Short mmCIF file of all heavy atoms in Angstrom, two decimals:
data_model
loop_
_atom_site.label_atom_id
_atom_site.label_comp_id
_atom_site.label_asym_id
_atom_site.label_seq_id
_atom_site.Cartn_x
_atom_site.Cartn_y
_atom_site.Cartn_z
N PRO T 1 91.98 114.61 73.06
CA PRO T 1 92.67 114.44 71.78
C PRO T 1 93.97 115.23 71.70
O PRO T 1 94.57 115.33 70.65
CB PRO T 1 91.64 115.00 70.79
CG PRO T 1 90.95 116.08 71.56
CD PRO T 1 90.92 115.59 72.99
N SER T 2 94.47 115.77 72.82
CA SER T 2 95.61 116.68 72.78
C SER T 2 96.96 115.98 72.64
O SER T 2 97.92 116.59 72.19
CB SER T 2 95.63 117.56 74.03
OG SER T 2 95.80 116.76 75.19
N GLY T 3 97.07 114.72 73.01
CA GLY T 3 98.34 114.01 72.92
C GLY T 3 98.56 113.39 71.56
O GLY T 3 97.87 113.70 70.59
N SER T 4 99.53 112.51 71.49
CA SER T 4 99.82 111.84 70.22
C SER T 4 98.77 110.79 69.88
O SER T 4 98.65 110.38 68.73
CB SER T 4 101.20 111.20 70.27
OG SER T 4 101.26 110.23 71.31
N ALA T 5 98.00 110.34 70.87
CA ALA T 5 96.92 109.37 70.66
C ALA T 5 95.69 109.84 71.43
O ALA T 5 95.80 110.39 72.52
CB ALA T 5 97.34 107.99 71.14
N ILE T 6 94.51 109.62 70.88
CA ILE T 6 93.27 110.00 71.57
C ILE T 6 93.12 109.13 72.81
O ILE T 6 93.29 107.92 72.77
CB ILE T 6 92.06 109.82 70.64
CG1 ILE T 6 92.13 110.83 69.49
CG2 ILE T 6 90.76 110.00 71.41
CD1 ILE T 6 91.04 110.66 68.46
N GLU T 7 92.80 109.79 73.92
CA GLU T 7 92.62 109.08 75.20
C GLU T 7 91.17 109.23 75.65
O GLU T 7 90.63 110.32 75.67
CB GLU T 7 93.53 109.67 76.27
CG GLU T 7 93.28 109.07 77.65
CD GLU T 7 94.07 109.79 78.73
OE1 GLU T 7 95.30 109.65 78.76
OE2 GLU T 7 93.44 110.51 79.52
N PHE T 8 90.55 108.09 76.03
CA PHE T 8 89.25 108.08 76.68
C PHE T 8 89.51 107.69 78.12
O PHE T 8 90.25 106.73 78.38
CB PHE T 8 88.32 107.04 76.05
CG PHE T 8 87.90 107.38 74.66
CD1 PHE T 8 88.65 106.98 73.57
CD2 PHE T 8 86.74 108.09 74.45
CE1 PHE T 8 88.26 107.29 72.28
CE2 PHE T 8 86.33 108.41 73.17
CZ PHE T 8 87.09 108.01 72.08
N SER T 9 88.89 108.39 79.07
CA SER T 9 89.12 108.03 80.47
C SER T 9 87.89 108.33 81.31
O SER T 9 87.04 109.14 80.94
CB SER T 9 90.32 108.80 81.04
OG SER T 9 90.07 110.18 81.02
N SER T 10 87.81 107.64 82.42
CA SER T 10 86.78 107.86 83.41
C SER T 10 87.38 107.55 84.77
O SER T 10 88.02 106.52 84.94
CB SER T 10 85.57 106.97 83.15
OG SER T 10 84.57 107.21 84.13
N LEU T 11 87.22 108.46 85.70
CA LEU T 11 87.76 108.29 87.04
C LEU T 11 86.61 108.26 88.04
O LEU T 11 85.65 109.02 87.89
CB LEU T 11 88.72 109.43 87.39
CG LEU T 11 89.85 109.66 86.40
CD1 LEU T 11 90.64 110.90 86.79
CD2 LEU T 11 90.76 108.46 86.32
N GLY T 12 86.70 107.39 89.03
CA GLY T 12 85.65 107.31 90.04
C GLY T 12 86.24 107.15 91.42
O GLY T 12 87.32 106.61 91.59
N TRP T 13 85.55 107.67 92.43
CA TRP T 13 85.99 107.52 93.80
C TRP T 13 84.81 107.76 94.72
O TRP T 13 83.80 108.33 94.33
CB TRP T 13 87.12 108.50 94.13
CG TRP T 13 86.73 109.94 94.01
CD1 TRP T 13 86.24 110.76 94.99
CD2 TRP T 13 86.74 110.72 92.82
NE1 TRP T 13 85.96 112.00 94.48
CE2 TRP T 13 86.27 112.01 93.14
CE3 TRP T 13 87.12 110.48 91.51
CZ2 TRP T 13 86.15 113.03 92.21
CZ3 TRP T 13 87.00 111.50 90.58
CH2 TRP T 13 86.53 112.74 90.94
N GLY T 14 84.96 107.30 95.91
CA GLY T 14 83.93 107.47 96.92
C GLY T 14 84.44 106.92 98.23
O GLY T 14 85.63 106.68 98.39
N VAL T 15 83.55 106.70 99.16
CA VAL T 15 83.94 106.18 100.45
C VAL T 15 84.43 104.75 100.26
O VAL T 15 83.67 103.86 99.88
CB VAL T 15 82.76 106.22 101.45
CG1 VAL T 15 83.15 105.57 102.76
CG2 VAL T 15 82.29 107.65 101.65
N GLY T 16 85.72 104.54 100.42
CA GLY T 16 86.27 103.20 100.38
C GLY T 16 86.67 102.66 99.02
O GLY T 16 86.92 101.46 98.91
N PHE T 17 86.74 103.47 97.98
CA PHE T 17 87.19 102.92 96.69
C PHE T 17 87.72 104.03 95.78
O PHE T 17 87.45 105.21 95.98
CB PHE T 17 86.06 102.19 95.96
CG PHE T 17 85.09 103.11 95.26
CD1 PHE T 17 85.25 103.42 93.92
CD2 PHE T 17 84.02 103.67 95.95
CE1 PHE T 17 84.37 104.27 93.27
CE2 PHE T 17 83.14 104.52 95.30
CZ PHE T 17 83.31 104.81 93.96
N GLN T 18 88.49 103.62 94.80
CA GLN T 18 88.90 104.46 93.67
C GLN T 18 88.88 103.58 92.43
O GLN T 18 89.12 102.38 92.52
CB GLN T 18 90.31 105.02 93.84
CG GLN T 18 90.40 106.20 94.76
CD GLN T 18 91.79 106.83 94.73
OE1 GLN T 18 92.78 106.21 94.39
NE2 GLN T 18 91.84 108.09 95.09
N SER T 19 88.59 104.19 91.29
CA SER T 19 88.62 103.43 90.04
C SER T 19 89.10 104.33 88.91
O SER T 19 89.06 105.55 89.00
CB SER T 19 87.23 102.88 89.70
OG SER T 19 86.33 103.93 89.49
N MET T 20 89.56 103.66 87.84
CA MET T 20 90.11 104.39 86.71
C MET T 20 89.95 103.52 85.47
O MET T 20 90.31 102.35 85.48
CB MET T 20 91.59 104.66 86.98
CG MET T 20 92.32 105.46 85.98
SD MET T 20 93.98 105.77 86.66
CE MET T 20 94.70 106.60 85.28
N ILE T 21 89.37 104.09 84.43
CA ILE T 21 89.25 103.41 83.14
C ILE T 21 89.93 104.31 82.11
O ILE T 21 89.61 105.49 82.01
CB ILE T 21 87.77 103.21 82.74
CG1 ILE T 21 87.05 102.37 83.79
CG2 ILE T 21 87.66 102.59 81.36
CD1 ILE T 21 85.55 102.34 83.61
N VAL T 22 90.88 103.75 81.38
CA VAL T 22 91.59 104.52 80.36
C VAL T 22 91.74 103.65 79.12
O VAL T 22 92.05 102.46 79.23
CB VAL T 22 92.99 104.97 80.85
CG1 VAL T 22 93.69 105.79 79.79
CG2 VAL T 22 92.88 105.75 82.14
N ALA T 23 91.53 104.25 77.94
CA ALA T 23 91.69 103.51 76.69
C ALA T 23 92.31 104.41 75.63
O ALA T 23 92.00 105.60 75.56
CB ALA T 23 90.35 102.99 76.20
N TYR T 24 93.18 103.81 74.83
CA TYR T 24 93.78 104.45 73.67
C TYR T 24 93.42 103.60 72.46
O TYR T 24 94.15 102.66 72.12
CB TYR T 24 95.30 104.54 73.83
CG TYR T 24 95.74 105.40 74.98
CD1 TYR T 24 95.96 104.87 76.24
CD2 TYR T 24 95.93 106.77 74.80
CE1 TYR T 24 96.36 105.67 77.29
CE2 TYR T 24 96.33 107.57 75.84
CZ TYR T 24 96.54 107.02 77.09
OH TYR T 24 96.94 107.81 78.14
#
């Protein structure tokens, strides 16, 4: 909640992949 808009995020990684989910 520190920016001008609340951010929800989830980051994932492992052998052979990366992922990112972000929402405002």
Side-chain angles (χ1 to χ4, degrees):
S2 63
S4 60
I6 293 175
E7 174 187 289
F8 291 89
S9 62
S10 180
L11 306 174
W13 62 92
V15 176
F17 79 94
Q18 281 188 336
S19 63
M20 183 174 176
I21 300 169
V22 182
Y24 296 92

